[in-house]
Amino acid sequence: MSVSGSFIGFFILILIPFFAVISYYLGKRKTTTPVIVAIIGGLLAYMSLFGLIFIAVPVLKKDIEMSA
């Protein structure tokens, strides 16, 4: 296995949990289904550009009102 292949594999292993955690946090504040948002964010981490676009959309969305 080449060095670049190892680097890309390691990079993906770091990105998937990072995108999933960020997506969950944003999903918790901006949607009513944070787990689904986290799963989709984690899957889109394979294609970093789509993952970044997916995270940008909830960032621009208003927070939902939390009922007590």
Side-chain angles (χ1 to χ4, degrees), residues 46-68:
Y46 282 109
M47 298 167 281
S48 298
L49 181 61
F50 292 132
L52 290 172
I53 292 170
F54 181 77
I55 286 178
V57 170
V59 165
L60 299 173
K61 187 177 174 184
K62 285 186 176 182
D63 288 353
I64 60 171
E65 295 293 325
M66 301 299 277
S67 59

Side-chain angles (χ1 to χ4, degrees), residues 1-7:
M1 185 179 233
S2 68
V3 174
S4 63
S6 297
F7 178 74

Side-chain angles (χ1 to χ4, degrees), residues 12-42:
I12 287 175
L13 286 177
I14 296 295
L15 281 181
I16 292 171
F18 178 74
F19 275 74
V21 168
I22 296 295
S23 296
Y24 179 77
Y25 173 73
L26 287 171
K28 208 168 154 181
R29 291 182 48 206
K30 314 265 182 178
T31 70
T32 56
T33 56
V35 174
I36 293 172
V37 173
I39 291 170
I40 294 170

